[in-house]
């Protein structure tokens, strides 16, 4: 039994030694691969330079689009305001035609008043001049 335990212990130690050697080799390979990835043509220094060159025209385009959208919004709101004013006037006109008017009937039934005399006088005349005027 002791011999079996020694064999198993020796195999486990051999397995751990191989695993340690393999992991060190993979670490060395991955550090070399990381240096390649950090300096690659796609995401390296040249990529950042290309992005910095494209940043200014991109910002300009975004600014132009924002300005045009703001102008379009102002014009749309102005048109909406004019439309609302015209709608209120149209509704008022429809209501004035549809509802009965009692004030107009009262004016039509009232008798015509007599003309109001107006006194017109100068200092050189003794008698005032009465003028008849209809209002």
């Amino acid at each position: 039994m002791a011999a079996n335990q020694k064999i198993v212990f020796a195999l486990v130690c051999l397995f751990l030694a191989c695993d340690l050697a393999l992991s060190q080799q993979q670490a060395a390979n991955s550090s070399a691969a990381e240096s390649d990835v950090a300096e690659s043509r796609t995401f390296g220094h040249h990529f950042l330079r290309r992005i910095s060159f494209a940043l200014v025209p991109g910002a300009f385009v975004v600014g132009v689009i924002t300005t045009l959208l703001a102008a379009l919004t102002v014009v749309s709101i102005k048109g909406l305001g004019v439309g609302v004013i015209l709608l209120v006037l149209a509704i008022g006109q429809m209501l004035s035609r549809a509802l009965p008017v009692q004030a107009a009937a009262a004016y039509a039934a009232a008798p015509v008043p007599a003309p109001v005399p107006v006194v017109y006088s100068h200092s050189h005349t003794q008698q005032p001049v009465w003028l008849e005027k209809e209002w």
Side-chain angles (χ1 to χ4, degrees):
M1 187 84 154
N4 287 339
Q5 288 179 349
K6 288 181 183 179
I7 292 174
V8 169
F9 181 74
L11 286 175
V12 168
C13 288
L14 181 64
F15 176 75
L16 288 176
C18 290
D19 188 31
L20 181 65
L22 185 62
S23 65
Q24 287 178 352
Q25 184 180 6
Q26 287 178 350
N29 288 340
S30 65
S31 66
E34 286 177 3
S35 65
D36 290 343
V37 170
E39 296 298 323
S40 68
R41 293 188 324 181
T42 307
F43 295 110
H45 178 69
H46 300 289
F47 176 73
L48 296 176
R49 179 179 285 174
R50 287 180 190 151
I51 289 294
S52 67
F53 283 139
L55 187 65
V56 174
F60 178 76
V61 169
V62 169
V64 168
I65 290 172
T66 304
T67 304
L68 290 175
L69 285 176
L72 181 66
T73 303
V74 168
V75 170
S76 299
I77 289 175
K78 185 185 99 170
L80 179 67
V82 170
V84 167
I85 290 171
L86 290 175
L87 180 66
V88 167
L89 289 175
I91 290 174
Q93 184 180 17
M94 287 190 305
L95 289 176
S96 68
R97 288 183 181 177
L99 296 177
V101 181
Q102 286 121 11
Y107 285 122
V112 178
V116 178
V118 176
V119 177
Y120 179 72
S121 174
H122 284 288
S123 61
H124 65 278
T125 60
Q126 297 295 333
Q127 296 288 333
V129 178
W130 293 85
L131 300 173
E132 297 288 331
K133 186 161 188 170
E134 292 185 28
W135 296 97

